[in-house]
Amino acid sequence: MHEYNTLPPNLKEVSNTYFLSQIANNTILREENRQPLDWRSKPKGVSSLRMLHFYDNTGIAIAEVRQQESNKYYLYKFGCDHEYREIFRIGLTKHYECSLCHHEQIIDSSD
Ligand SMILES: [Zn+2]
């Protein structure tokens, strides 16, 4: 099975508010469209998933159901549920690492 036909890891439905907060606070690295075949509980009428990837290997996705009256949308997130812990700091710069996927993040608290 091609990646194009698989669901992204850890796909979970989210609220409108969560979805919008992710768009407001993240830089979108790339966009991708998939037609997953391994969808166990696919919403009725959904065939494809539009994904927005963020820099930290997570992202959000939209599934659209086209209807005559108004289209219906299902909102998701995917990727790691990061659990960051501080690994070291230099001055006001703190280095964090996710204990699950080892993604690193640097936060400068000087401003
Ligand atoms: Zn992580």
Side-chain angles (χ1 to χ4, degrees):
M1 196 152 57
H2 297 287
E3 187 182 58
Y4 175 75
N5 290 128
T6 62
L7 286 174
N10 206 17
L11 189 74
K12 291 177 188 163
E13 198 162 352
V14 295
S15 68
N16 294 10
T17 303
Y18 179 89
F19 190 88
L20 292 172
S21 74
Q22 293 299 295
I23 291 179
N25 294 302
N26 285 285
T27 301
I28 296 166
L29 268 190
R30 65 188 174 93
E31 305 173 12
E32 183 184 4
N33 288 296
R34 292 192 188 184
Q35 294 190 328
L37 298 176
D38 55 349
W39 211 324
R40 285 203 188 83
S41 55
K42 188 170 77 167
K44 196 173 187 299
V46 169
S47 62
S48 65
L49 190 66
R50 177 162 182 77
M51 298 161 58
L52 303 177
H53 292 268
F54 300 140
Y55 75 100
D56 67 345
N57 302 323
T58 69
I60 51 176
I62 310 170
E64 181 182 27
V65 179
R66 289 169 198 263
Q67 295 174 328
Q68 279 192 333
E69 298 293 312
S70 61
N71 292 354
K72 190 167 170 51
Y73 298 93
Y74 296 88
L75 307 178
Y76 301 93
K77 67 173 186 170
F78 59 86
C80 186
D81 291 318
H82 295 309
E83 289 181 15
Y84 286 109
R85 60 191 170 89
E86 188 179 327
I87 45 175
F88 65 89
R89 69 172 81 184
I90 300 171
L92 293 171
T93 304
K94 295 178 180 177
H95 294 248
Y96 294 90
E97 184 187 52
C98 173
S99 58
L100 302 175
C101 73
H102 305 293
H103 181 263
E104 290 187 28
Q105 195 172 24
I106 299 170
I107 294 176
D108 186 341
S109 57
S110 63
D111 48 35

